Amino acid sequence: MDDCIIIGGGPAGLTAAIYLARFHLSIRLFDAGDSRAALIPRTHNHAGYPDGISGKDLLARMLEQAEKYGATREQAEVTGLRVIEDGFGVRIGDREIGARAVLLATGVVNNRPEMPSAVHDEALARGFLRYCPICDGYEVTDKGIGVIGTGAHGAREALFLRGFSADITLIAPDAGHDIDQPHAGDLDAGGIRRVDGPCGNYAIEGNRIALDTVEGRLSFDTIYPALGSRIRSQLAVQAGARAADDGCLEVDAHQRTSIPGLFAAGDVAKGLDQISHAMGEAGVAATAIRNMLDAQKPLRR
Ligand SMILES: Cc1cc2nc3c(=O)[nH]c(=O)nc-3n(C[C@H](O)[C@H](O)[C@H](O)COP(=O)(O)OP(=O)(O)OC[C@H]3O[C@@H](n4cnc5c(N)ncnc54)[C@H](O)[C@@H]3O)c2cc1C
């Protein structure tokens, strides 16, 4: 039985792998290979890289660091997780592997506006489409920004971006806007234009991204979808772990879920969806895992 299995090889999972390998523990890391970090053309808010770094390069550097201490990443999707005597059974295809502890670092998936993948990927790579105002609102300072969303979530995203630009348009994705007070008043006070849905037919046109709306074709320097995300917590939830209504796993200050021995870190746990936060949580989780295993059976060399 391994000491720990890490599910997910994004910033959280790889940070945990570095820590746990350096604690001389026997670990495995399974990763399905679609980290949100791999979508980042260049991050400028991640500390330590004054000129920024692409998400793919950051992940490659982290994997190289983990491998230096003996950790390996196996490209595979974990399809089942169950509590067994003294630990967990982790299912990958027709194999079930046992581990005394499990760290879930499976992240989230952003809900995308409806558009062909080729348009989506090019717009993302060229900065016409962005998903994280905390990360890259700075890069669109004083630009024309469209936000696709409505309700409290859409309104909050538009208001957050108002700190970067006066030119914000909030476009409802499907039908008319549904925005309660006080958000509606705040949007009006901030001069944020509201356009009802439906919208669609996205295309890169010149140096802008354009879409059809009920008020005609509009174009922006950049668009932020505010359409929510799917939290990849189902493995833990099916095993009995407690999650919030949105699916984020509930964890304590040591990243412990409600199931003893099962930990969670990164976007899948409730918190700020940021690389730095994912890494910090993973460091806390890895140390808590080490100390839990040591308390069960002293770690000695
Ligand atoms: C376009 C974009 C730009 C961003 N820019 C920034 C930025 O500039 N700065 C910043 O701090 N943050 C940024 N973020 C957010 C950042 O990418 C995430 O907060 C971060 O990647 C979270 O790390 P994580 O390890 O929790 O999850 P992820 O990086 O999403 O990794 C989760 C991993 O788990 C794997 N996985 C999931 N389910 C399974 C399974 N069942 N079996 C095996 N593996 C599984 C996935 O394949 C994936 O590789 C951005 C996000 C996006 C989408």
Side-chain angles (χ1 to χ4, degrees), residues 3 5 8 10 28 30 65 81 91-92 111 121 129 146-147 165 223-224 236 239 246 263-264 267 280 283:
D3 288 324
I5 288 178
R28 288 172 199 256
F30 296 104
Q65 190 175 351
L81 174 67
R91 178 154 293 281
I92 307 107
N111 295 326
D121 294 353
L129 190 64
V147 177
S165 173
I223 281 177
Y224 282 88
D246 63 1
F263 295 72
D267 291 356

Side-chain angles (χ1 to χ4, degrees), residues 8 11-12 31-37 43 45 76 78 106 135 266-267 274-275:
D31 182 32
D34 64 344
S35 163
R36 280 213 307 149
T43 170
N45 77 338
V78 172
T106 41
C135 312
D267 291 356
Q274 289 284 283
I275 297 168

